Amino acid sequence: MTIEIKRFMGSTALIMALATLASPALAADWGRGAESYRDVSVPAAVPVPAPMPIPDYHPQWYFRFDAGLGVINDPDISDDLFTYGELDGPGPITGPGDARFADSSWFNGDFNTFLTLGGGVGYYLGRGWRIDATIEKRSNDDGTVFGQDEYETYAYVDDDGIPATASVYTSDLDNNGTPGDQHTRFTAQEKFRVDGTVWMANAYYDFTSGSSFTPYVGAGVGFAWNEIERSRTHTVDTCDPNAAAPSACEANGGPGAYTQTSTETETSKADKVTLAAAAMAGMSYDISDLTSVDIGYRYLYLQGADALLNIGGDPSRLEIGDQHIHQIRAGLRFNVH
């Protein structure tokens, strides 16, 4: 009995010793466990990736469509080869001038308004600069020519009836000693039209304002393709100023009327390429990233044009002076990314 009690007490002491040794480890494990309320460890934060930057694409190309309306000066209009009358005589030495030239007062133009419609393609160079190329159809400009002149008709006349001798250049056509046997009235009526296209290469500088409004200035150079069409009618009327009434010319106080002797109508066309230049200033407004409204002023210079035509078998050169146009233009620009 005594031995069993000793064995029981020894076993109990051994168990208590092992429990004492194990308690610090269990306490440590419990402190690190999920059940601990004193020292719960927090998992390390997982880094969130930074958002990818969105590329800022600036447009490089654009298309444009424009309309312009303005006023134009009245250019000088003339024809330095428009001649009529007796062209085969020796001239003022023995009679009136052979070549009678049209007076400048005969020419009248209707150059009041100037309309252009067109489009083009452009490129943004950066740092506020851009360039574009445009083509525009110009409105028609019309003009008229109306004039009259009266003169004695001269011709070569065999005054002595001897064919071997030289003829005399005179207005005594029937060789009766009375000059001015025939009085001539020349009437010219003409209509001409000028139209065509304007081709320009332009450069601009945009003043970036940080808003939707962008002021700009620009300049351009190019050429104008002018199409000139003419339609002219010549009428020649004659009468005898020395005839007895009622056949005498009205121009000489007689009641007799002119008799129409001939009418010629000719139509001709010609193309002429001339210099064009421009200066612009205006403002654009961004409706969206792709579309802008463009409103501005343009001064347009068109070099004068001339057309060498053949009217009635004789050369005729219509000259139209330089044109200076002031326009207000409006249009749209479409950006291409």
Side-chain angles (χ1 to χ4, degrees), residues 152 171-176 178-183 239-242:
E152 303 298 334
S171 63
D172 184 8
L173 303 184
D174 57 7
N175 196 27
N176 62 0
T178 303
D181 290 336
Q182 181 172 285
H183 196 78
C239 66
D240 185 354
N242 301 312

Side-chain angles (χ1 to χ4, degrees), residues 188-261:
Q189 300 181 68
E190 177 180 332
K191 292 182 179 180
F192 64 88
R193 185 184 66 182
V194 182
D195 64 1
T197 54
V198 181
W199 305 69
M200 299 290 293
N202 309 289
Y204 307 86
Y205 182 77
D206 294 323
F207 297 94
T208 303
S209 61
S211 67
S212 297
F213 292 94
T214 304
Y216 67 84
V217 293
V221 64
F223 63 90
W225 176 25
N226 303 282
E227 301 173 352
I228 303 175
E229 180 179 357
R230 305 177 66 181
S231 177
R232 179 190 292 175
T233 299
H234 291 173
T235 302
V236 179
D237 300 310
T238 60
C239 66
D240 185 354
N242 301 312
S247 300
C249 294
E250 293 178 349
N252 287 16
Y258 279 95
T259 300
Q260 180 174 310
T261 58

